[in-house]
């Protein structure tokens, strides 16, 4: 007589199920959700989860990219290819257009991360989005570790870390008034390593920038920045070619690479498994402005 094998759910399966459950809850509660999609690895994983959550139907909401204009070309190309393959409606909220129209003013240092916020909030108001899916994870940064799965934002798009709603027994409160919105983070309980294991499991394609390649870089403040039209050498800085990869993808003017020979998913997993510094801490110059840099931006309305 054959014995039935015990049913076991892996850690990755449990994370996937939780994320899919959250996405379906949002679709049941909200009228106009949107998924933030930049072409980065976390938003790419979010798209795969959305595919699974609503299959065999198409993903039932648009995707939006808050485009600073300082993008890595490989990432933009991947974004457009993926959106076209899935037949999605892409909303582009352009920082450059906002600068040209006088809605926002470019900062003296030329960086644009901080001025994304008013552009994002304007797009939310224009399209009346009431729920915004984001790929933020609690392991990334201290301010993001404070977030709940549903993050309430007031009518000004602002976040109050002391005014978080309880989420006992996976019960989520999406109640909101007109003009208010909820930021939703289905990957909250994932880690960088979980994301890479899922990419390997699902055979998810990524922009080549995430894998080791030779690139001309400059070392500044202990970080390796690629030489490009948005990041130029200062006096006394000498460009050099290094074998690097990107752990996270943001503005080309503020995102640094790390030395790496990991040119496959398996090698990246091995590398991430022994890393003891978060991806943002290792590669994002904008988070080094102050200890509370991310929290300050989130209070203003940043994702």
């Amino acid at each position: 007589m054959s014995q039935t094998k015990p049913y076991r759910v892996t850690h990755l399966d449990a994370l996937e199920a939780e994320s899919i459950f959250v996405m379906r809850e949002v679709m049941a509660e909200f009228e106009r959700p949107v998924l933030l999609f930049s072409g980065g690895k976390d938003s790419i994983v979010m798209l795969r989860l959305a595919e699974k959550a609503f299959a065999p139907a198409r993903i039932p909401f648009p995707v939006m990219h808050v485009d600073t204009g300082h993008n890595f070309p490989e990432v933009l190309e991947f974004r457009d290819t993926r959106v076209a393959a899935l037949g999605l409606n892409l909303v582009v909220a352009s920082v450059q257009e906002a600068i040209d129209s006088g809605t926002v003013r470019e900062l003296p240092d030329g960086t644009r991360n901080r001025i994304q916020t008013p552009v994002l909030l304007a797009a939310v108001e224009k399209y009346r989005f009431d729920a915004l899916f984001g790929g933020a994870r609690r392991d990334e940064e201290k301010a993001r570790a404070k977030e709940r799965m549903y993050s309430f934002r007031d009518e000004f798009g602002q976040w109050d870390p002391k005014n978080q709603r309880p989420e006992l027994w996976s019960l989520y409160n999406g109640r909101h008034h007109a003009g208010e919105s909820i930021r939703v983070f289905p990957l909250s309980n994932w880690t960088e390593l979980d994301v890479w294991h899922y990419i390997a499991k699902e055979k998810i394609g990524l922009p080549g920038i995430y894998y080791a390649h030779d690139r001309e870089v400059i070392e500044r403040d202990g970080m390796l920045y690629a030489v490009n039209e948005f990041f130029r050498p200062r006096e006394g800085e000498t460009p050099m070619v290094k074998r690097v990869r990107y752990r996270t993808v943001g503005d080309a003017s503020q995102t640094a690479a790390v030395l790496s020979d990991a040119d496959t998913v398996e090698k990246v997993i091995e590398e991430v498994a022994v890393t003891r510094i978060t991806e943002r801490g290792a590669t994002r110059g904008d988070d080094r402005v102050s200890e509370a840099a991310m929290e300050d931006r989130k209070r203003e309305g940043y994702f």
Side-chain angles (χ1 to χ4, degrees), residues 18 21-22 25 148-149 165-173 189:
E18 178 185 54
F21 171 75
V22 169
E25 281 290 294
R148 300 289 171 86
M149 198 76 76
R165 297 174 177 180
E167 294 181 345
L168 304 175
W169 306 292
S170 298
L171 296 175
Y172 304 109
N173 180 2
N189 294 326

Side-chain angles (χ1 to χ4, degrees), residues 41-49 187 190 195 198-199:
K41 69 180 188 308
D42 297 309
S43 59
I44 292 169
V45 166
M46 290 277 289
L47 267 189
R48 175 56 58 87
L49 292 167
L187 301 185
W190 296 53
V195 168
Y198 193 74
I199 289 167

